[in-house]
Amino acid sequence: MDSRMNKKWDPCITDVVKAAIDGGATIIQLSQKRYLYREKEAETLDLLEAAEACKKMCQSNCIALLINDRVDVALACDADGVHVGQSDMPANKVCKLLGSNKIIGVLCKTLEQADHVWLDGADYTGCGGVFPTTTKSNNQTIGLDGLKALCSSSKLPVVAIEGINKGNAGSVMELGVPNLKGIAVVSALFDQQYFLTETRSLHSLLMDISASTKE
């Protein structure tokens, strides 16, 4: 959840999370970027308070909460895990701090990175960006061919990330690689005022794709 996306209105983070969960989201990832639209990043106390509120909501709905980048905040709120980038703390160090029972995901763009995070003990890889995205500047994209290559060689479950929406989610999930387990979305939902409707619509699309690939 990165609420820098929608400048037209200023939603409460717990309302956003509730709508996403009710709409079918299976994991919530809270970004260190300002969870309500602002020009600066959230202060640590703000982020911790938001994380604690989200943790209660996720826990009551049996949904995992991951914290983006901030291992300290994940520790403080007892989140279910973290998602880190290549320039953040390595997965093996994160595991030592959080413990082996927490979920650790790492962003990967190359085959070498995917091999390395597996050896480091990560639980999944977030592969991308698959498509251009408005959430990051100068973002290197790998496209569908790059995603398929990473999935085919990865020893870990893969989540496709960045630039994914209802218009292209089908092309991602129909790649036909068994360890591609899902997609992560930000602007596809956060740019929309009606989170519940948009989440349900995307969830329904993914369920239809899953059913058709099993036939």
Side-chain angles (χ1 to χ4, degrees), residues 113-128:
Q113 289 174 352
D115 285 340
H116 187 72
V117 300
W118 172 69
L119 293 172
D120 263 359
D123 296 295
Y124 75 90
T125 60
C127 290

Side-chain angles (χ1 to χ4, degrees), residues 8 29 66 82 118 143 168 175 205:
K8 295 180 180 179
Q29 182 178 322
L66 306 184
V82 297
W118 172 69
N168 56 35
L175 284 176
L205 171 65

Side-chain angles (χ1 to χ4, degrees), residues 35-36 45 87 131 175 177:
Y35 55 87
L36 296 182
L45 180 58
S87 61
F131 304 109
L175 284 176
V177 280

